[in-house]
Amino acid sequence: MRKEYDFSAAKKNPYAKKLKTRMTIRLDDDVMSYFQMLADETEIPYQTLINLYLKDCVKRKMKPDMAWKKK
């Protein structure tokens, strides 16, 4: 290993804008079970499936139904 490195000709990472943000999110057990079941069926990690689903919601500009229903 060198004592010093020359980074004067270094380029910025072109994929840096595409990096994902790590965060903690609380999900209901049934939601997690559903995505884990899908992950087993599709052999795609459940985190990826959740991200794909949320991306699709963003693309379609979907909004949750926030209407409270009386029982």
Side-chain angles (χ1 to χ4, degrees), residues 13-24:
N13 182 350
Y15 303 103
K17 291 182 180 179
K18 295 183 180 183
L19 295 176
K20 296 180 180 180
T21 301
R22 171 178 268 176
M23 65 179 303
T24 301

Side-chain angles (χ1 to χ4, degrees), residues 2-65:
R2 298 179 185 176
K3 288 185 178 183
E4 293 184 25
Y5 290 89
D6 180 14
F7 293 105
S8 61
K11 297 179 183 177
K12 287 188 177 183
N13 182 350
Y15 303 103
K17 291 182 180 179
K18 295 183 180 183
L19 295 176
K20 296 180 180 180
T21 301
R22 171 178 268 176
M23 65 179 303
T24 301
I25 184 171
R26 296 181 185 271
L27 301 172
D28 292 337
D29 289 340
D30 57 338
V31 173
M32 282 301 303
S33 295
Y34 177 75
F35 279 100
Q36 287 172 338
M37 178 195 65
L38 282 179
D40 290 341
E41 290 176 10
T42 61
E43 298 182 358
I44 298 172
Y46 72 91
Q47 298 98 327
T48 302
L49 290 172
I50 293 170
N51 190 55
L52 289 170
Y53 178 74
L54 292 174
K55 270 186 165 182
D56 187 50
C57 290
V58 170
K59 182 179 175 182
R60 296 173 186 224
K61 299 186 190 284
M62 293 173 61
K63 295 182 180 177
D65 181 10

